[in-house]
Amino acid sequence: MEFTELADYAVPAGTLTEWIPSVGPQARTPEAAGWHPDARPTSYVHEAHLRTSLSSPRRGRESWLGAAFEIAGPLDKPAFRQAVLNWIDRHEAMRSSASIDEVTGEMTRVTAAQGAIDIWQVEQERCAQSSEVFEHLQYLFDEFTSPLIWPAYAFVTLEPVDETRPVTVFFAADHSIIDGLSTVLVAHEIAALYGEELGGAPAALFEAGSYLDFGSSERERNAELEHSHDAVRIWRDFLVDGEGELPAFPLDIGDPSPDDLPQGGLSAWVLDPDQADSFSVACRKTGHSLFAGLLAVLAITGSELGGGTRFRTVTPVHTRDEPQWASALGWFVGLCPISFDIAGADSFGSVVAAASAEVKKTKPIARVPLDRVFTTLGYSARPRFVVSFMDVRFAPAAEHWPDWNARALRSKQYQHDVYIWINRTPQGINIAARYPNTEQATARVHEYVGAFRKLLSDVADTGTARFPLTGDERSDIGHTDTGQIATNQ
């Protein structure tokens, strides 16, 4: 499944229906609707996101993640409505609202019982052009997914002009209540629940825990965090090594772009399924994981393009450490620092080993929220270069994604940072990136991804990477053809 912006998802013209969760016709807010006070605290990352959104000029807008996928038409609207309501009853985070008093800074939460949510169904006029569909979806999701309001999520269905084509379902939610894996789960769950309402097989979804319970357990687990704790020590050393900053992209991407200029992005399939298997085998033959191998290729790429021999980044790690969280929706993500030096390495295997040793050292501390660590240190810093990896081959319904035209989506961003997502899927390995939309940043990120792609293919084809590279190979690596990389501007 690719991970791109909405602009990169091909949508036909047609008729849109918005499916907006509602507290009911007699009230406008959860509090007025009589939702019960809920003493459970938010997760640390949810609280940090709320406080950041309060102080941001955008007030949390354009911080959403989502999904798009197709279902067979024609759309049975009563069945789809009930499927969404059943899904909301399944996930407690979708019927809970956390807020912060802007004067006192106090956090409060209210939560609705199962069956208490209604759906505001809004039928739009037919859009004659696909551009109209895109503009409407972009505006709706940007406006309806702020963490400072409820609901912070919405569904939209698109019935195409050509009634023989499938119906497209779009979903978006603020990052505070979903993460990357959550977006992967949505298509399967809604499709299964809708099929059940149509009289098909029971949805048979795995039982899902509540993200609200996870937030409470996370707070209890990290209530006391001493300076001697491994997480505090490792992050402190990482910051010292970076002169007080979290790492930036290894190549020079120039000065920050204007605050109102959305980032650019790209998406590319870098290995097909057979190549992905070959690359994985090459990594295992070194005695280490696929993820360590990917980090090794990223490190070699940066070094050969002039980024130095020490590879430094921040990587997300899921915190779904109990069976009840496996199918839950929420922001189950911690961060860990990655730093290793390839100076003096004499083989691809030695670089993979260095990456693997760093992952083994730092991955366990991802269970301690970075915001909690920074509170202990009395410090704050913003990630500037993030590398994410997910193996989603065994996610529910992964084999159906091509048939469903399924895609994970992200909102626009405006920061001066670079994020890279690498996903192992049944269709191979995909890489996606976002970066400042300037000439220099675009050129350097494309150069980096193109060179990464070439080295990845070399390892898949030969079982290793010739290392160290010769002078001619260093010259070639920076001039890899990137013409097949899809971009959004």
Side-chain angles (χ1 to χ4, degrees):
M1 182 183 286
E2 290 187 70
F3 185 39
T4 68
E5 288 189 20
L6 179 62
D8 290 319
Y9 189 84
V11 296
T15 303
L16 293 171
T17 301
E18 302 167 7
W19 307 83
I20 312 296
S22 166
V23 296
Q26 305 301 321
R28 297 181 62 86
T29 66
E31 291 80 5
W35 291 19
H36 63 267
D38 192 331
R40 286 173 292 181
T42 64
S43 66
Y44 284 101
V45 69
H46 188 165
E47 178 184 358
H49 184 60
L50 285 173
R51 296 192 184 281
T52 299
S53 299
L54 275 175
S55 61
S56 167
R58 290 190 174 86
R59 305 282 290 183
R61 293 175 69 256
E62 299 172 295
S63 63
W64 55 266
L65 299 175
F69 58 96
E70 294 174 349
I71 56 177
L75 181 66
D76 184 321
K77 292 186 176 179
F80 186 81
R81 179 180 183 276
Q82 189 59 51
V84 172
L85 289 172
N86 292 343
W87 180 83
I88 292 171
D89 280 347
R90 170 175 166 79
H91 297 291
E92 191 178 32
M94 299 298 142
R95 43 190 169 82
S96 185
S97 176
S99 59
I100 297 178
D101 188 294
E102 296 194 47
V103 176
T104 66
E106 180 183 2
M107 293 191 60
T108 57
R109 178 191 291 280
V110 292
T111 301
Q114 290 182 337
I117 305 301
D118 198 358
I119 292 287
W120 184 29
Q121 185 176 331
V122 183
E123 310 280 347
Q124 298 292 338
E125 297 290 335
R126 174 173 289 189
C127 296
Q129 304 292 329
S130 60
S131 59
E132 296 178 65
V133 174
F134 164 73
E135 290 170 2
H136 186 92
L137 289 169
Q138 189 78 67
Y139 175 80
L140 178 76
F141 288 157
D142 285 348
E143 290 297 319
F144 273 82
T145 57
S146 166
L148 305 179
I149 61 172
W150 189 91
Y153 62 99
F155 285 91
V156 178
T157 52
L158 171 63
E159 298 169 87
V161 175
D162 182 354
E163 296 182 356
T164 65
R165 296 189 59 177
V167 174
T168 306
V169 179
F170 297 91
F171 166 76
D174 181 73
H175 203 338
S176 60
I177 52 176
I178 63 169
D179 56 16
L181 182 58
S182 297
T183 65
V184 169
L185 297 173
V186 168
H188 164 63
E189 294 195 354
I190 292 297
L193 291 168
Y194 178 59
E196 183 178 59
E197 289 301 315
L198 291 177
L205 301 177
F206 291 114
E207 186 174 350
S210 170
Y211 184 53
L212 279 63
D213 291 335
F214 172 83
S216 294
S217 64
E218 182 187 67
R219 295 274 179 172
E220 292 173 5
R221 187 170 61 246
N222 297 290
E224 301 294 332
L225 195 64
E226 303 294 335
H227 280 261
S228 58
H229 192 284
D230 282 349
V232 178
R233 178 181 53 79
I234 290 172
W235 276 111
R236 182 178 58 236
D237 293 346
F238 190 70
L239 287 165
V240 170
D241 288 345
E243 298 180 347
E245 295 287 346
L246 294 177
F249 187 64
L251 308 183
D252 183 6
I253 58 173
D255 297 328
S257 55
D259 290 342
D260 60 349
L261 181 65
Q263 287 191 324
L266 63 82
S267 175
W269 288 99
V270 292
L271 295 180
D272 64 26
D274 290 340
Q275 290 175 312
D277 287 343
S278 296
F279 180 81
S280 182
V281 168
C283 295
R284 289 201 302 272
K285 285 183 176 179
T286 71
H288 303 290
S289 68
L290 171 65
F291 181 44
L294 291 168
L295 289 175
V297 176
L298 289 169
I300 297 170
T301 299
S303 177
E304 295 304 322
L305 293 178
T309 62
R310 177 164 290 278
F311 181 75
R312 302 181 78 246
T313 188
V314 172
T315 187
V317 176
H318 80 79
T319 54
R320 298 169 186 262
D321 53 3
E322 296 180 20
Q324 63 178 314
W325 313 135
S327 297
L329 300 191
W331 199 347
F332 294 91
V333 175
L335 295 173
C336 69
I338 298 291
S339 176
F340 60 95
D341 201 333
I342 67 173
D346 59 2
S347 67
F348 175 66
S350 63
V351 180
V352 179
S356 182
E358 181 69 358
V359 171
K360 183 177 181 179
K361 182 184 79 172
T362 64
K363 185 177 180 179
I365 71 168
R367 292 190 74 231
V368 181
L370 183 55
D371 298 291
R372 182 67 183 90
V373 172
F374 279 173
T375 298
T376 299
L377 291 174
Y379 190 82
S380 66
R382 183 176 57 83
R384 297 181 294 166
F385 176 44
V386 176
V387 174
S388 171
F389 171 70
M390 285 201 308
D391 187 341
V392 293
R393 287 175 296 165
F394 308 107
E399 70 277 11
H400 297 304
W401 292 340
D403 297 331
W404 293 353
N405 194 21
R407 183 81 61 92
L409 303 174
R410 64 177 186 269
S411 64
K412 297 188 294 291
Q413 291 293 319
Y414 299 84
Q415 290 84 0
H416 190 70
D417 56 23
V418 177
Y419 274 58
I420 291 176
W421 297 271
I422 304 173
N423 292 330
R424 177 85 189 273
T425 80
Q427 292 76 48
I429 292 181
N430 174 264
I431 185 171
R434 63 171 176 82
Y435 45 83
N437 196 4
T438 63
E439 184 176 352
Q440 181 173 345
T442 299
R444 297 318 310 264
V445 173
H446 275 250
E447 180 183 24
Y448 186 83
V449 171
F452 169 76
R453 185 184 207 173
K454 182 178 186 302
L455 282 175
L456 209 63
S457 296
D458 287 347
V459 175
D461 292 343
T462 68
T464 188
R466 293 183 299 278
F467 193 90
L469 300 182
T470 66
D472 288 343
E473 288 166 332
R474 288 192 180 96
S475 176
D476 290 343
I477 198 172
H479 295 84
T480 303
D481 177 21
T482 59
Q484 296 183 19
I485 297 179
T487 63
N488 53 271
Q489 302 296 332

